[in-house]
């Protein structure tokens, strides 16, 4: 039982490059979330999904796209990376139906140069 | 939209003393208030949470209080230990989608 796993753990991109971050959970959770964490700030929600095939925008969605083709996977895409997207990205998941603990992945440190 | 403010940004206490971190929120419809602990380079981990129908909740050395009228909630850690050193985040949410709005964090330093 791995919980929530993010791939990759670290990445350096050049401005304009694209990449996809993968979040995988093995807890059969309905809800999944992508956050970014910048120094001196709390986590900010980028996009989230309430089930397979659904996605919705969070607080800071611009410059990102997401897909939830399988229940266990939630992908975060950067089509044209910018230095402002340098951050630590966290994925989280939780059960549907009641407000309860969200389980976080270990984070992805992304640097855009 | 919701806004969560957290104070102080840094808190240094002597080992064995108590620590209190305070958060205020703006949306009176918020009904769930978790606290997360994040150690350096690690993922956030839930340490305690409270729902709006409860005024106080305790779990061993940790307690959270909620004042809905004033729209603020606080984390209390008693008998602090070196392993309590970390960044603590408060958050608030409403509805079933669990869109958490996070405070900026408090760096807690426990002095030996």
């Amino acid at each position: 039982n791995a919980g929530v796993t993010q791939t990759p753990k670290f990445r350096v991109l050049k401005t304009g490059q694209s990449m996809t971050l993968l979040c995988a959970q093995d807890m059969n959770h309905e809800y999944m979330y992508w956050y970014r964490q910048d120094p001196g700030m709390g986590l900010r929600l980028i996009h989230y999904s309430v089930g397979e095939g659904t996605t919705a925008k969070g607080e800071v969605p611009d410059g990102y796209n997401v897909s939830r083709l399988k229940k266990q996977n939630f992908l975060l895409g950067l089509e044209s990376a910018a230095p402002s997207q340098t951050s630590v990205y966290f994925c989280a998941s939780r059960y549907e139906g009641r407000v309860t603990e969200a389980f976080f992945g270990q984070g992805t440190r992304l640097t855009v140069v | 939209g919701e806004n969560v403010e957290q104070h102080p940004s840094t808190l240094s206490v002597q080992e064995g003393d108590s620590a209190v971190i305070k958060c205020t929120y703006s949306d009176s419809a918020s009904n769930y208030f978790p606290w997360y602990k994040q150690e350096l380079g690690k993922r956030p981990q839930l340490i305690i949470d409270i729902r709006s129908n409860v005024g106080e909740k305790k779990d061993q050395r940790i307690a959270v209080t909620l004042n809905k009228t004033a729209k603020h909630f606080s984390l209390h850690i008693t008998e602090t230990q070196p392993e309590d050193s970390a960044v603590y985040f408060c958050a608030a949410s409403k509805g079933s989608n669990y869109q958490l709005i996070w405070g900026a964090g408090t760096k807690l330093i426990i002095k030996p």
Side-chain angles (χ1 to χ4, degrees):
Chain A
N1 187 342
V4 181
T5 303
Q6 292 180 228
T7 310
K9 293 184 175 58
F10 303 95
R11 185 73 185 268
V12 178
L13 283 181
K14 293 183 178 179
T15 298
Q17 286 186 318
S18 63
M19 77 164 294
T20 301
L21 283 68
L22 170 64
C23 177
Q25 52 94 5
D26 60 4
M27 297 174 283
N28 202 35
H29 286 169
E30 288 290 339
Y31 287 18
M32 297 187 74
Y33 309 82
W34 274 108
Y35 293 92
R36 61 177 288 172
Q37 184 176 33
D38 300 303
M41 300 179 69
L43 279 68
R44 290 183 293 168
L45 183 64
I46 304 171
H47 287 279
Y48 66 100
S49 168
V50 301
E52 181 178 321
T54 73
T55 63
K57 294 180 180 180
E59 295 174 80
V60 288
D62 294 342
Y64 305 94
N65 56 75
V66 288
S67 63
R68 183 96 180 270
L69 299 179
K70 294 182 178 180
K71 185 177 183 179
Q72 63 268 34
N73 296 337
F74 194 29
L75 280 66
L76 178 70
L78 286 74
E79 290 188 347
S80 179
S84 61
Q85 294 178 302
T86 294
S87 189
V88 178
Y89 292 85
F90 284 99
C91 173
S93 70
R94 72 170 185 94
Y95 288 110
E96 178 192 9
R98 60 188 177 101
V99 177
T100 185
E101 179 178 2
F103 293 84
F104 283 83
Q106 78 278 25
T108 296
R109 184 173 294 276
L110 175 66
T111 302
V112 182
V113 298
Chain B
E2 175 68 281
N3 182 51
V4 177
E5 295 190 356
Q6 183 172 347
H7 300 280
S9 56
T10 304
L11 179 60
S12 183
V13 301
Q14 206 69 37
E15 182 179 349
D17 288 350
S18 296
V20 180
I21 303 170
K22 298 181 180 180
C23 288
T24 61
Y25 60 99
S26 60
D27 191 340
S28 57
S30 291
N31 57 9
Y32 176 67
F33 307 92
W35 285 89
Y36 281 83
K37 176 183 180 181
Q38 187 178 31
E39 297 175 346
L40 188 63
K42 300 284 185 65
R43 72 193 78 188
Q45 292 194 305
L46 181 73
I47 55 171
I48 196 167
D49 58 13
I50 192 168
R51 288 164 176 74
S52 59
N53 59 346
V54 176
E56 183 176 4
K57 183 177 179 181
K58 289 183 180 179
D59 183 3
Q60 299 182 332
R61 296 186 298 111
I62 295 173
V64 57
T65 58
L66 172 65
N67 183 327
K68 286 195 297 181
T69 303
K71 289 189 284 188
H72 67 70
F73 56 112
S74 301
L75 177 71
H76 305 254
I77 305 175
T78 59
E79 302 173 3
T80 53
Q81 301 169 3
E83 53 265 35
D84 295 330
S85 293
V87 178
Y88 291 80
F89 291 95
C90 64
S93 78
K94 60 180 180 181
S96 61
N97 289 340
Y98 197 71
Q99 291 191 52
L100 286 176
I101 304 300
W102 295 65
T106 296
K107 183 176 183 180
L108 178 61
I109 301 166
I110 307 301
K111 297 181 292 185

